[in-house]
Each structure stands twice: as C-alpha cells, then as structure tokens.
Amino acid sequence: RGMRMIKILIADDEGYERELLAEILDKRLGREAEVRMVENGRLAVDAASLWAADVVLMDIEMPGINGIDAARQILAQRPECKLIFITAYSLFTYAHEAVKLGACDYILKPVDPDDVERAVRRAAAQAEAQRQLEAMAAAASGELLESADNYDKAAVLMGKVKKYLQHNYMMYDISLDSVSAILNLNASYFSSLFKRTFQVNFLDYLTELRMDAAKELLRDPLRSTAEVANMVGYESANYFTRAFKKKVGMTPTEYRRGAAQGRGGTA
C-alpha cells in the first residue's frame, strides 16, 4: 500500500501566484497530490480544517488575516497540519516567528519549482512519519509496556521513532517527553528503550541530527548563524553556537570558513 494522496492547500491573494504554485505541484507531484486554492487567510483557516489539509502553502503578506495569524489559527484546530510559508521578503524578518509556530519550511518569491517540490515532499514525509508513529502507538503502547522483552515490537516502534526524528528534528518543542507522550509511554521507560535500541541516548541522537543539518545549512554564506539555529530547532543562537562547538569542535563561523576554503578557497 503506497502513501495516501497528500492534500495540499494553497493560500495566496494573488491569482497568478496561486495558479503558478498549483501548476508546479501538478507537474511535480501529479497524482500524489490533491490541490485546492483559496485567496485569503480567513478562507485558509476554514478550508484547512474542514477539508483536513495535510500541507498548507501560505503567503505571509495577505490582506485581512496575514499568513502568520492564519497559521496560528490553523494549528490550533489542526496541529498535525504542516505549514510552508511563501514570502517576498528576506527570510529572517519572519523566520523566527514562523519556525516558532512550527512551520516546516519557507520559500522565497519568485518561487523556484525545485524548492516548492522539495519543501512539499519534506512536509508530506513529516506528516506521514507522525501519522505512522501515532498509529503504531495506538496499537502498541499497552502491550509493549507489559512485555518489555518483546524485542520485535519494540524494534519496529523504535524504527518509526527514528524516522519521526529524522523528519521533525527542526521543531523547537521536540523532546524525550513530547515523543514519549505521543507513544503513551512512561518517559524513563521510553528513554531506556531508545538507548537499548540505538546505543545512544535520545538527546545525543537528536543533537547529532540537528548538527548534521546545521553543517549543510552553514555552507550557504547568505544564511546567518541565527537563521541556521532557527532552522534546526534552536530558539537561541547562543545556545546553538555552544552546542555546535561542543559537538563539532569549532564555532559555526569557524566551520563556515573552513567549508568555504574547502570549496576551493575562492568563496
């Protein structure tokens, strides 16, 4: 059984932009996606909830309710919905606000079809990972606790947890407690199960994922350290810098310099 069709809602007050995005999604995703369009934030809130959208592509600068406020209302009603913001402004004006809300990506106008496809596929994979984890939790939590030595079930469950973390490491509020809550498992039991399965504790594993992503992002000279911190799940740039230095052995700035020289010294 393949992944079910992704429901994608496009919210933009400019007709041309809506049509362009719909065309890109049709070309790139075809039958994998069902697309609907609305022209303002108020309609986006209603449609996302009533139609049960998986992913919302939302312009930030809309008259009436802007994209950030609409997103806040959508997530209040439908927390599992994945949001991708589209903006003509430089990223960082909104980055902090958007990521804090739980946006999984943002795309700059004029939109690049590759960026749109990448962001939507990533958002859909996040939604699917969460769905699988929750389905698994509903089926497994009770009996898993009663039979701690049931390695097969535990291994399958931990495989889903790993996939969930790989797709959601950039969320600020992801933690041992938040994941054990999804699974209806006692946090210390979940912690020992995680360590037994992966030979590393939960926080170290999450930090590793975040630092690998940060190294990739730091290769782009136009992204500030604060922006990179935001994009890998840290609200504080200072805390991110300390964590990066501890893990990688140099500051993000030093790492960026080394990466630039490694590319041939002309950056």
Side-chain angles (χ1 to χ4, degrees), residues 132-142 157 182-184:
Q132 285 184 10
L133 191 59
E134 284 169 354
M136 187 91 198
S141 66
L157 183 67
I182 292 175
L183 295 170
N184 298 319

Side-chain angles (χ1 to χ4, degrees), residues 43-179:
L43 290 171
V45 174
D46 295 343
S49 165
L50 294 170
W51 184 52
D54 296 304
V55 179
V56 180
L57 279 161
M58 177 120 64
D59 184 28
I60 288 185
E61 302 83 26
M62 290 188 286
I65 301 182
N66 72 21
I68 298 273
D69 291 336
R72 207 172 270 124
Q73 291 180 39
I74 288 169
L75 289 173
Q77 295 173 22
R78 195 172 160 69
E80 66 276 28
C81 193
K82 300 295 168 196
L83 289 157
I84 298 167
F85 285 117
I86 298 165
T87 172
Y89 293 88
S90 77
L91 241 48
F92 202 64
T93 330
Y94 290 112
H96 193 70
E97 191 70 20
V99 178
K100 223 157 98 177
L101 262 178
C104 54
D105 229 323
Y106 23 156
I107 302 166
L108 278 176
K109 289 182 180 179
V111 298
D112 174 310
D114 288 345
D115 287 348
V116 174
E117 181 183 4
R118 197 178 305 117
V120 168
R121 286 194 184 280
R122 183 173 157 206
Q126 277 185 22
E128 185 63 20
Q130 172 125 12
R131 210 173 9 249
Q132 285 184 10
L133 191 59
E134 284 169 354
M136 187 91 198
S141 66
E143 56 195 302
L144 193 68
L145 268 172
E146 276 141 44
S147 53
D149 55 352
N150 193 337
Y151 278 109
D152 285 353
K153 274 208 180 74
V156 172
L157 183 67
M158 286 297 117
K160 302 277 188 205
V161 167
K162 188 174 181 179
K163 188 173 167 190
Y164 174 76
L165 291 176
Q166 286 167 347
H167 288 301
N168 291 280
Y169 64 83
M170 73 296 298
M171 300 299 184
Y172 283 178
D173 57 358
I174 201 164
S175 66
L176 179 80
D177 287 342
S178 76
V179 178

Side-chain angles (χ1 to χ4, degrees), residues 5-49:
M5 211 180 219
I6 320 158
K7 291 179 165 187
I8 305 169
L9 181 68
I10 296 169
D12 197 314
D13 59 307
E14 291 170 39
Y16 166 76
E17 294 283 351
R18 287 197 301 276
E19 297 294 341
L20 176 66
L21 285 164
E23 196 181 311
I24 291 170
L25 292 171
D26 185 47
K27 271 194 185 129
R28 297 298 183 97
L29 295 169
R31 293 193 180 154
E32 293 173 63
E34 190 183 344
V35 178
R36 288 197 184 176
M37 296 182 277
V38 291
E39 64 270 16
N40 63 47
R42 159 63 41 230
L43 290 171
V45 174
D46 295 343
S49 165

Side-chain angles (χ1 to χ4, degrees), residues 208 210-220 228 244 248 255 259:
E208 183 83 30
R210 287 173 160 172
M211 294 309 156
D212 285 349
K215 286 179 191 170
E216 209 46 54
L217 290 165
L218 284 164
R219 292 177 179 277
D220 177 352
V228 172
F244 190 92
V248 184
Y255 180 84

Side-chain angles (χ1 to χ4, degrees), residues 155-252:
V156 172
L157 183 67
M158 286 297 117
K160 302 277 188 205
V161 167
K162 188 174 181 179
K163 188 173 167 190
Y164 174 76
L165 291 176
Q166 286 167 347
H167 288 301
N168 291 280
Y169 64 83
M170 73 296 298
M171 300 299 184
Y172 283 178
D173 57 358
I174 201 164
S175 66
L176 179 80
D177 287 342
S178 76
V179 178
S180 58
I182 292 175
L183 295 170
N184 298 319
L185 290 177
N186 168 287
S188 59
Y189 171 71
F190 171 62
S191 174
S192 66
L193 196 59
F194 191 95
K195 187 151 192 190
R196 191 175 76 201
T197 310
F198 301 119
Q199 279 74 57
V200 59
N201 75 36
F202 180 91
L203 186 60
D204 287 343
Y205 182 78
L206 180 61
T207 304
E208 183 83 30
L209 285 175
R210 287 173 160 172
M211 294 309 156
D212 285 349
K215 286 179 191 170
E216 209 46 54
L217 290 165
L218 284 164
R219 292 177 179 277
D220 177 352
L222 298 176
R223 289 193 200 281
S224 68
T225 301
E227 213 170 294
V228 172
N230 269 264
M231 294 179 84
V232 298
Y234 291 93
E235 274 188 272
S236 154
N238 289 340
Y239 183 74
F240 163 69
T241 299
R242 284 201 300 277
F244 190 92
K245 184 160 190 190
K246 188 176 171 190
K247 189 85 186 154
V248 184
M250 58 181 97
T251 66

